[in-house]
Amino acid sequence: MDSTAWMMLGVASLLSLLLVATVITIPLRRLGRGGGSWGALLAALSLPMAVLLFTSLLLWVISAFPAAFGALHLERSHVEAWYLFWVILLLFNLSEGLGRLYHLYFRKDAQPAHGLALFLGRVVVVGASLLIVLQFAMDLSTSQLLTSTAVVATVLGIALREVLSNFLAGLSVHLAGTVQPAQWIAIGDKEGEIIQRNWRETRIRSTGGHIYIVPNSLIASSLITHMTWDSPLRRHHLDFPVSYDASPALVRQALQEAAISVPEVDRTCKWPDAMVLACKDNSMVYRLRFWSRTFHDRSRIEGDVQERVWYQLGRHGIALGSVSEVKIPTLSGTLSAQVTEPIPETGYDLLLRSGFVQRYLVGSDGRLLVDETALRAFATLLRRRTYGADEELFRLGDVGEVCYILLRGDLYGRTGLSVQGGGAGEFRVEPGEWVGEISVFSGLTRTATVFVKGSEAEVLEVSNRALHYLLSCHEEIARLFQQRLAQRSRRMLEELRTLDLPHTAIS
């Protein structure tokens, strides 16, 4: 073979050496996926070091056994170019790995380099290394190569300007970490969760399940509202017009209590607050501010809060906004309908209708234990209250100041035993029963959480004064009350035995 063929064989041997080094270092390079920063450093250095080592070994074998290889030889310029290229790549990988270790151990607060930046850096270093090798090691002019490359790049840039615009915008968004998957963002009137992103577009899923495909150029040039970064805690505000007849202190307290009663309202970091926002002609405008960790679901949360505000203000006798009187003129010669307002039920009527009197105020002989005068006096001490769906009347551990008589609706309760599951510690309140009276009578904290299940519930609120007045009307009523206490304690003990819990669990 002529010298050119032997030279080509030498170049082929170097490329074969690269293939062998690549195959041998596969296990080491896999360490970069799960071996931490030290494993990534070893994986990055493994291939350049293996190539340099095998190259040195090949050159030593060729020089040590010249008879075995005949006229095979490697040009000095080719060997120097080969060494130079892999040394540059080795130094770059070494500096990259040391940078990762520096961020890991010394600059934990700083954001490490993005994988895309490292990839582009490797491309630039490899390209620059090739140009340096061609220009200085092999004495080849690279000006023509650069000129032709610039012309091709110009043509491609004109033809693919939209694609390149989105790609460069996606590059900047990725490097800056502007948006990340699983974040909730709003871009203009589009709002949703980022489910996927690439170098051209970002896909957002709205709360209604719609998928918006947003070009990265739009994200890079638009105002973005983050709802989960860097904390999911976000503030809501709602405005309510309230009549001037209501005390501002009472209105603010009612608004705060309504917000607190909604489970999604956060109470760990910031407490809900209320303030007077403005004074209008016929009403005062109050602003309720509260925080939640699911701001993307704000429509439902704010709807629940407004519903609780209506119930809470209604229980305090506070009217929302102003009431305008509309007069409808009647035409001559026609009959006008006479509208009669229904007569509201009194507390006495409500007691009789609920079944409370038959349950607790009738003796064993079937006679009423109190006369009608005393019963009407007791009814005047009661307050009619309405609670919305899932609203709590009181919670486990609260101080008991009032108790309730259920008129209509479904009330359920959970004691401390409910954490054991299996229905333990759960009970249902029937219409005509009262609930919470033990805490009011004994002065102890609430032993259960009672809430409305399903639709709204209507109750009669019994104060401490009203309860003690009723118990003082007849000794048989007090005896029935003590009997109820004994039955509830016995039921709790039976549940404890069923769950095989120690008796110290009784509080």
Side-chain angles (χ1 to χ4, degrees):
M1 293 189 296
D2 55 6
S3 59
T4 303
W6 284 111
M7 183 180 67
M8 295 301 296
L9 183 60
V11 174
S13 63
L14 290 177
L15 295 178
S16 301
L17 182 145
L18 173 61
L19 178 61
V20 173
T22 303
V23 173
I24 292 177
T25 57
I26 286 178
L28 293 176
R29 285 185 285 116
R30 285 180 177 174
L31 291 175
R33 301 177 182 177
S37 297
W38 288 102
L41 176 60
L42 180 60
L45 299 180
S46 59
L47 182 59
M49 292 180 63
V51 171
L52 293 174
L53 179 61
F54 291 162
T55 301
S56 300
L57 183 60
L58 177 62
L59 294 177
W60 178 81
V61 171
I62 292 175
S63 61
F65 305 97
F69 293 93
L72 176 63
H73 68 282
L74 298 174
E75 291 290 338
R76 181 177 180 86
S77 60
H78 293 174
V79 175
E80 291 178 353
W82 182 262
Y83 269 115
L84 180 60
F85 174 80
W86 288 106
V87 167
I88 294 175
L89 189 59
L90 176 64
L91 293 177
F92 175 77
N93 288 348
L94 179 62
S95 61
E96 177 187 318
L98 293 178
R100 290 178 182 271
L101 294 176
Y102 173 73
H103 278 282
L104 178 63
Y105 292 104
F106 299 100
R107 291 293 304 276
K108 297 181 180 180
D109 56 333
Q111 185 175 2
H114 197 276
L116 177 62
L118 297 177
F119 171 75
L120 294 178
R122 295 190 189 103
V123 172
V124 172
V125 169
V126 170
S129 302
L130 288 174
L131 294 177
I132 292 173
V133 168
L134 293 175
Q135 182 72 35
F136 298 103
M138 302 188 67
D139 295 330
L140 296 177
S141 177
T142 59
S143 58
Q144 296 181 353
L145 178 62
L146 292 176
T147 302
S148 59
T149 304
V151 172
V152 174
T154 303
V155 174
L156 290 177
I158 296 174
L160 303 174
R161 59 182 180 275
E162 293 296 334
V163 176
L164 290 176
S165 174
N166 288 321
F167 173 78
L168 294 177
L171 181 63
S172 65
V173 169
H174 282 62
L175 291 178
T178 306
V179 293
Q180 301 290 340
Q183 288 182 344
W184 282 88
I185 65 171
I187 304 175
D189 60 342
K190 306 303 181 187
E191 177 184 327
E193 178 188 12
I194 299 177
I195 58 175
Q196 187 181 5
R197 63 178 188 177
N198 52 47
W199 307 124
R200 180 188 176 277
E201 63 197 21
T202 299
R203 301 189 178 188
I204 301 174
R205 179 171 55 204
S206 69
T207 54
H210 305 291
I211 305 296
Y212 301 121
I213 301 177
V214 184
N216 288 330
S217 58
L218 182 61
I219 293 180
S221 60
S222 300
L223 177 64
I224 300 176
T225 303
H226 275 278
M227 300 179 186
T228 54
W229 183 83
D230 57 359
S231 168
L233 191 66
R234 293 293 180 269
R235 190 181 71 186
H236 309 244
H237 73 267
L238 297 172
D239 297 336
F240 300 93
V242 179
S243 171
Y244 277 104
D245 297 335
S247 167
L250 181 60
V251 174
R252 292 200 307 269
Q253 179 184 355
L255 293 178
Q256 288 178 319
E257 291 175 353
I260 294 170
S261 66
V262 176
E264 289 83 1
V265 173
D266 186 83
R267 297 179 292 272
T268 59
C269 182
K270 295 180 181 294
W271 199 259
D273 59 14
M275 65 191 74
V276 177
L277 183 64
C279 294
K280 301 296 183 180
D281 293 338
N282 49 13
S283 64
M284 296 181 68
V285 180
Y286 293 82
R287 170 160 291 182
L288 173 62
R289 302 190 304 178
F290 57 93
W291 285 257
S292 76
R293 297 183 181 273
T294 52
F295 190 76
H296 55 273
D297 198 18
R298 61 185 178 276
S299 298
R300 183 184 61 83
I301 297 175
E302 292 175 358
D304 291 344
V305 172
Q306 292 181 85
E307 179 181 336
R308 298 291 173 85
V309 166
W310 187 89
Y311 283 107
Q312 192 67 244
L313 293 179
R315 289 194 290 270
H316 288 83
I318 301 174
L320 272 172
S322 58
V323 180
S324 300
E325 183 179 356
V326 180
K327 296 181 179 181
I328 304 177
T330 58
L331 298 177
S332 58
T334 61
L335 295 176
S336 59
Q338 183 178 4
V339 179
T340 58
E341 294 290 337
I343 301 175
E345 290 184 291
T346 62
Y348 177 76
D349 298 329
L350 293 173
L351 276 177
L352 295 179
R353 179 168 60 85
S354 68
F356 174 79
V357 175
Q358 291 75 14
R359 284 176 180 269
Y360 299 101
L361 302 183
V362 175
S364 57
D365 55 357
R367 292 187 304 171
L368 192 63
L369 298 177
V370 294
D371 56 21
E372 182 178 346
T373 303
L375 187 58
R376 289 184 178 275
F378 170 69
T380 59
L381 301 176
L382 308 180
R383 295 293 179 266
R384 188 176 184 177
R385 305 298 191 200
T386 305
Y387 287 83
D390 301 324
E391 193 171 2
E392 296 177 349
L393 277 70
F394 52 81
R395 291 186 177 184
L396 177 68
D398 289 349
V399 176
E401 298 178 352
V402 294
C403 56
Y404 304 92
I405 299 173
L406 179 61
L407 296 177
R408 63 178 178 86
D410 292 324
L411 288 184
Y412 284 80
R414 298 192 189 99
T415 67
L417 296 176
S418 62
V419 296
Q420 303 295 328
E426 299 181 359
F427 58 92
R428 182 177 184 270
V429 182
E430 299 289 340
E433 288 188 352
W434 59 5
V435 62
E437 76 284 359
I438 295 179
S439 297
V440 179
F441 179 79
S442 63
L444 301 176
T445 57
R446 303 288 190 185
T447 59
T449 298
V450 175
F451 58 94
V452 181
K453 189 172 182 180
S455 59
E456 67 180 15
E458 191 176 18
V459 298
L460 289 175
E461 184 180 275
V462 184
S463 64
N464 192 350
R465 175 189 172 192
L467 176 62
H468 285 82
Y469 172 81
L470 180 63
L471 296 178
S472 64
C473 290
H474 197 285
E475 61 181 7
E476 182 68 13
I477 299 177
R479 188 190 67 79
L480 292 175
F481 186 86
Q482 293 175 353
Q483 182 180 357
R484 176 178 173 84
L485 289 177
Q487 291 175 352
R488 182 170 297 182
S489 299
R490 183 169 60 252
R491 203 160 46 238
M492 183 179 296
L493 287 173
E494 291 175 353
E495 288 184 348
L496 287 174
R497 294 191 188 98
T498 303
L499 296 172
D500 196 21
L501 295 176
H503 292 288
T504 54
I506 304 176
S507 57

